[in-house]
Amino acid sequence: RTSGQWVGEDILVLDDLPFPFSVIAKTEVVALTISKHDLQTKIPSEFKVVLEENARDRNIWLQQRIKEITKTSHIIYQQDYKQTVY
């Protein structure tokens, strides 16, 4: 993400989905917080809809990526096993 953007909104707007992300800053950061209650009650409902859609899209991508990584790791493991058996 770039300057002026925020992170962590996924966990605030999607109660039922995991938030398995970390943030590492390359430069100095000013971090502000907002409570879940304030986010849900003080932002416009149209904006909340956009946050929810973006969070769901990221979660779908994450789940697909986990499946791809798992499948690839199984293939690699099988190849390594076949090489050690011969």
Side-chain angles (χ1 to χ4, degrees), residues 3-67:
S3 177
Q5 290 187 315
W6 57 0
V7 295
E9 69 277 10
D10 299 32
I11 200 166
L12 293 173
V13 296
L14 298 175
D15 294 328
D16 58 337
L17 298 176
F19 185 73
F21 300 103
S22 297
V23 177
I24 299 173
K26 293 182 179 180
T27 62
E28 185 175 316
V29 172
V30 175
L32 306 173
T33 62
I34 183 170
S35 71
K36 185 174 193 168
H37 177 264
D38 284 347
L39 181 70
Q40 291 179 337
T41 59
K42 295 184 180 181
I43 64 168
S45 59
E46 299 85 17
F47 189 66
K48 184 178 177 194
V49 169
V50 171
L51 289 177
E52 290 170 346
E53 289 172 356
N54 290 341
R56 283 195 181 90
D57 289 346
R58 276 191 296 278
N59 192 56
I60 290 168
W61 173 85
L62 176 64
Q63 296 306 317
Q64 290 172 341
R65 193 70 184 112
I66 289 170
K67 286 178 184 178

